[in-house]
Amino acid sequence: MSGGVVTAALAAGLGLAALLLLAQTWRLRRREAELAAAAAALARQESLVSLGRLMAGIAHELNTPLGAVCCSVGTQQKAVDHLAEAVAQLQQPGADAAAVGARLQKVLGALRGTSPVLDEALGRTNALLREMRLAGRGETPAPEPVDVNALVEGTLLLTNHELKNVVTVHRELGEVPPVSGWPGPLGQVLLNLVLNARQATGEGGHVTIATDTVDGRVRVRVSDDGPGLPEVCADRLFEAGFTTKDADAGTGLGLFISRRIVARHGGELTAANRPGGGAEFTLLLPVAAA
């Protein structure tokens, strides 16, 4: 074979190799672009999921305070109607002033009863919004001493419209020192535990809240006399999105959020079935430094 033929063959081979290399490079770049697009789509989806979970958590935490506000406003409206009726009754000839006066005292008592509920509900709502604003700026408020018993009483006041005529609440509040933390988030934890106990025990049941000190930590126990915790969910109870309730009764975020809040305080949140029946959630929190 002559040198010219060999050269031509080599040139043709190199040309073909170059074409194959260009084709392979084009396919790799196209695949790289597809992978980048897929990664961007996945990131957007994860962001949407995170945003959705955040919004669901906010809605979950605002639900009870807003429910208490609505209930109190409804009570106030009824009280105003009763006041108008009482005034009209007094203007009638031969009106029984004593009976009308007793009615007015009852109405005024109902009106006064709405003020502490509104103060607690609006206070907790403001605390949650403040937490959100600070978190948006990457800031964290300094921890402060928190009176756990006062937080329990505030929680029961806030949930009274959901507890009364449904369950009997028993208080076993001991003398406990303040804990170090943030009253707003800790109030969310107690709120979740109390409402979970009410839902677990059902109408006519009993819910007990007890506080004491164990091994230098403040302990809060919220127990009920319901059916207890199913063994199959013991390992998943505090997972995000996991719930044993109906779809319209729970989001599966309450316990997940609660455990994260407790961990942020350097505490523990556990759950177990009681020997006598029902479930008990135990919250342990470090005592505030003197």
Side-chain angles (χ1 to χ4, degrees), residues 172-184:
E172 298 177 3
L173 306 181
E175 293 187 9
V176 296
V179 301
S180 178
W182 301 270

Side-chain angles (χ1 to χ4, degrees), residues 109-258:
L111 277 174
R112 292 191 186 101
T114 62
S115 295
V117 177
L118 288 172
D119 288 343
E120 184 71 22
L122 295 176
R124 294 209 180 189
T125 301
N126 287 334
L128 177 60
L129 294 176
R130 178 170 175 265
E131 285 273 328
M132 291 171 57
R133 286 195 299 269
L134 290 174
R137 297 199 297 263
E139 301 176 12
T140 301
E144 60 185 86
V146 180
D147 185 336
V148 173
N149 285 345
L151 210 56
V152 168
E153 293 292 356
T155 299
L156 294 178
L157 180 66
L158 195 62
T159 57
N160 182 60
H161 68 289
E162 299 190 54
L163 300 177
K164 65 179 181 180
N165 304 324
V166 180
V167 299
T168 302
V169 177
H170 304 275
R171 294 172 173 83
E172 298 177 3
L173 306 181
E175 293 187 9
V176 296
V179 301
S180 178
W182 301 270
L186 286 178
Q188 296 175 33
V189 174
L190 290 175
L191 195 65
N192 286 325
L193 297 182
V194 169
L195 292 180
N196 280 351
R198 182 197 71 82
Q199 292 174 346
T201 190
E203 188 171 352
H206 296 261
V207 174
T208 301
I209 304 179
T211 60
D212 59 4
T213 306
V214 177
D215 298 329
R217 294 192 293 181
V218 173
R219 179 173 65 174
V220 183
R221 289 172 293 159
V222 180
S223 56
D224 61 72
D225 58 357
L229 302 170
E231 293 185 6
V232 294
C233 73
D235 296 333
R236 303 187 58 198
L237 197 59
F238 295 96
E239 289 182 7
F242 178 78
T243 179
T244 59
K245 305 171 188 175
D246 295 334
D248 58 347
T251 62
L253 291 173
L255 291 178
F256 168 73
I257 293 172
S258 295

